[in-house]
Amino acid sequence: MTSIPATLEETAAPPADLASLFAGMALIREFEDRLLELRKAGEVVGPVHPYIGQEAIAVGVCAALGDGDSVVSHYRGHGHALARGVDLNGLTAELFGRANGVCGGKAAALIGDPRRNLLMSSGIVGAGIPVAAGAAMTAQVRGDSSVAVAFFGDGALGSGVVHETLNLASVQRLPLVLVCEHNGYQAGNRTEDIYPEVSVLRIAEAHRVRAVAVDGNDVLAVAAAARSAVAAARAGEGPTFIEARTYLTKFHLQFERPSPEVRPPDELAAWLQRDPLTVALTRAAELDIHLSAEPLRAEARARVEQAVQAARSAPWPAAAEVHTHVLAGAA
Amino acid sequence: MNEVGLLDVVVQEEFDRDPTLVFLATNSPAALRGRFGADRVRICAISEQAMVGMGVGAAMSGLRPIVDLNRASFGLLTMDQLVNHAGRMHYQSGGGYRVPMVVTAATRGRQQLGPQNEQCTYGLFMQTPGLTVVVPGSLAEACGLLRTAVRWPGPVLYFVAPELNRQRGLSAALGTPPLPFGVAALLRRGDAATIVAIGGAVPVALAAAESLSNAGTDCDVLDPRTLAPLDVPAIADSVARTGRLIVVDDGPRSGAPVQILGRLAERPDALAALGGRVGFVCQPDVPVPSSPALEDLTWPTEQRIVDEVRRLLDADG
């Protein structure tokens, strides 16, 4: 299978789009920065897996989707949720473990939201990928031309079920978009230390799944690749695997303290120069689009702070809720 | 469903009724595929985890998948999807999502498939909240409970004993309406002891109870039909009356049998009535050996059940 290069035409999104894409990324960045502070202060439930540095992928991919499409995320999923349009207040309250969280406080970061067809944010690496394939199967059986997207990291490629799903999706021509956020780390390990081959595209190609590599820090490039993949899926041409190369600029997770990981300073500095928000501003300049970063970031910051204040004063779930929604047939 | 062909007919009838039903298996029935097409009846590579995972996603997005895993042993490959996804998503989404899927598998028969592929794994799933566990004790129950399973709003694990395929009365069985989950069937009535029998052991327990009855000892025979939810009140009421409990199962003692006993702790009157008069006639906690000479020692038989009831009766002195 050949990769689909994003054409110049496709990468040149309409000017209005870049501003809204930037706003989407700014919201995630401000949210994640604030979450790390709140986790340190013990206000947020569970671990925080920061998405900082990868915002262009969630925002670029979700910009290519319609309301009827399905999304499957994982534990590093706040960015996907926000890009998908999950309510900021509901998400924040959920991370505070409060009753008005999108999942009633039962999920924390592992949310699902039927209002946005966000099926799940699985805490099991790789396990959400067949679930997205199942949603793609639903679209295929119904013939409604919707698609399903699975977000996952390069770490998921060590999981057997991912390879099983690539095979089934390929042979059944499922309308599925597989978004591999290749950030170079698998929990505390560097991918090159535990994987035999740097090119992850070859894994998809081995299953005869169309594979395309894209600069995961360039939101326009991601959006273009996603549009192509979604269009192919809607047209009945089966799945596409998008390798979005990016970098985990913070760390795997944080409780009171971050997980102890050391990034090579030169490598980190190089990636920070290519921060997705910075890249978007460069692209705006190249394309002669007026993009004023600071007002957008300030607006995002204000929205986040409002959500945090609301979550702080929200009630805890009632004790009876521990027993609700266990068996779907019961109360 | 390879082992009990009549269930394929049930599935066909249900496919006619509900256009959202789809079937995933490595070996889908040709008749079903011919009639309903390859979109709804899929043949998959031997990828149980992905098949069950796809079932979860399909169920969450509006279909009702039946995933046939052939043997229960293959279901062990899918524990992640069953436990972490199928059984959790209703709860984890705060009730936002449901996972109405049915996973079917055959347990064990006298087929000498050996330690790996002769297994009753349903006891494991009594410990994994969110999953409904169905184990029919007759061909009629197999049909009726399958009809309920494909209408159920949550994930159902459906374990069928190949031995049920030997039963007669196919058309009567096929006509069985949907049977309720969480309601045990009282198949015989008697005050001497309570025999709780599961799945393929139900016909054996009924034969033993009849033999005991002919000798003047009448027992309750209860078939739970679903292990989760379990009809604890029915079992506890019976035990409170008889004061003796024998659990009969094709599966290992540490699986469903001890968990049923454990659940009686919810009813102190039932535990008190037992006063230690508890017996198990089931697979001992060993893998199932292939040699018939050894395998035979791992089955609940009519004679072993009769002996166990008599032992408990004699225990009173």
Side-chain angles (χ1 to χ4, degrees), chain A residues 4 6 10-11 64 177 212-214 220-231 240 242:
Chain A
I4 308 174
E10 285 169 326
T11 54
V177 180
V212 55
V214 68
L220 290 180
V222 173
R227 276 200 302 273
S228 293
V230 168
T240 301
I242 298 173

Side-chain angles (χ1 to χ4, degrees), chain B residues 158-228:
Chain B
Y158 178 98
F159 293 95
V160 66
E163 296 295 307
L164 297 186
N165 207 32
R166 297 173 190 272
Q167 295 190 342
R168 297 178 176 203
L170 298 191
S171 63
L174 195 57
T176 309
L179 296 170
F181 286 176
V183 180
L186 181 62
L187 302 175
R188 281 188 81 100
R189 170 88 194 217
D191 294 336
T194 301
I195 301 174
V196 175
I198 300 163
V202 170
V204 184
L206 282 172
E210 184 168 354
S211 158
L212 284 161
S213 178
N214 291 339
T217 302
D218 286 303
C219 301
D220 273 7
V221 177
L222 274 166
D223 169 4
R225 302 198 291 204
T226 60
L227 296 173

Side-chain angles (χ1 to χ4, degrees), chain B residues 2 23 39 59 77 84 101 113 157 161-162 185 215 246 305 308:
Chain B
N2 293 345
F23 194 93
D39 246 18
L77 289 158
N84 288 323
M101 71 186 299
L113 291 170
L157 309 188
I246 297 96
I305 298 166
E308 195 62 12

Side-chain angles (χ1 to χ4, degrees), chain B:
Chain B
M1 274 155 265
N2 293 345
E3 298 294 343
V4 183
L6 188 62
L7 297 176
D8 288 348
V9 183
V10 175
V11 170
Q12 278 204 34
E13 291 181 1
E14 296 297 329
F15 259 61
D16 271 329
R17 182 188 58 80
D18 183 352
T20 67
L21 278 166
V22 296
F23 194 93
L24 298 176
T26 57
N27 185 13
S28 297
L32 195 68
R33 194 171 163 88
R35 184 144 162 221
F36 297 101
D39 246 18
R40 288 181 67 192
V41 185
R42 298 189 182 219
I43 297 174
C44 297
I46 303 168
S47 303
E48 287 86 356
Q49 289 189 71
M51 287 157 60
V52 173
M54 283 175 65
V56 170
M60 293 177 75
S61 55
L63 297 183
R64 283 184 172 273
I66 300 171
V67 184
D68 181 33
L69 294 178
N70 194 347
R71 304 298 299 200
S73 50
F74 308 149
L76 297 173
L77 289 158
T78 71
M79 288 298 269
D80 176 44
Q81 292 296 337
L82 292 175
V83 178
N84 288 323
H85 285 168
R88 296 287 136 102
M89 283 307 131
H90 187 52
Y91 194 82
Q92 190 162 311
S93 65
Y97 277 110
R98 295 177 192 275
V99 190
M101 71 186 299
V102 184
V103 176
T104 57
T107 56
R108 57 180 293 222
R110 290 181 181 268
Q111 298 170 311
Q112 287 85 47
L113 291 170
Q116 292 176 305
N117 288 336
E118 299 276 4
Q119 290 206 54
C120 296
T121 59
Y122 35 75
L124 296 172
F125 298 101
M126 297 173 75
Q127 305 176 40
T128 51
L131 298 170
T132 292
V133 182
V134 176
V135 190
S138 69
L139 200 53
E141 282 186 2
C143 294
L145 291 168
L146 184 58
R147 292 190 196 281
T148 310
V150 297
R151 291 167 171 78
W152 198 246
V156 176
L157 309 188
Y158 178 98
F159 293 95
V160 66
E163 296 295 307
L164 297 186
N165 207 32
R166 297 173 190 272
Q167 295 190 342
R168 297 178 176 203
L170 298 191
S171 63
L174 195 57
T176 309
L179 296 170
F181 286 176
V183 180
L186 181 62
L187 302 175
R188 281 188 81 100
R189 170 88 194 217
D191 294 336
T194 301
I195 301 174
V196 175
I198 300 163
V202 170
V204 184
L206 282 172
E210 184 168 354
S211 158
L212 284 161
S213 178
N214 291 339
T217 302
D218 286 303
C219 301
D220 273 7
V221 177
L222 274 166
D223 169 4
R225 302 198 291 204
T226 60
L227 296 173
L230 182 68
D231 190 351
V232 176
I235 299 169
D237 286 349
S238 172
V239 161
R241 173 164 45 82
T242 67
R244 295 175 191 85
L245 173 67
I246 297 96
V247 187
V248 185
D249 187 14
D250 293 345
R253 182 181 52 187
S254 296
V258 297
Q259 290 184 77
I260 289 172
L261 178 62
R263 290 293 297 278
L264 291 178
E266 294 167 21
R267 282 277 299 266
D269 62 320
L271 271 193
L274 281 175
R277 290 179 293 268
V278 177
F280 296 106
V281 183
C282 46
Q283 178 192 327
D285 285 332
V286 300
V288 174
S290 292
S291 166
L294 299 175
E295 182 209 2
D296 185 59
L297 302 171
T298 68
W299 284 104
T301 62
E302 187 180 325
Q303 189 58 50
R304 289 185 185 122
I305 298 166
V306 168
D307 289 349
E308 195 62 12
V309 170
R310 294 221 165 102
R311 183 183 72 79
L312 296 189
L313 287 167
D314 292 345
D316 286 340

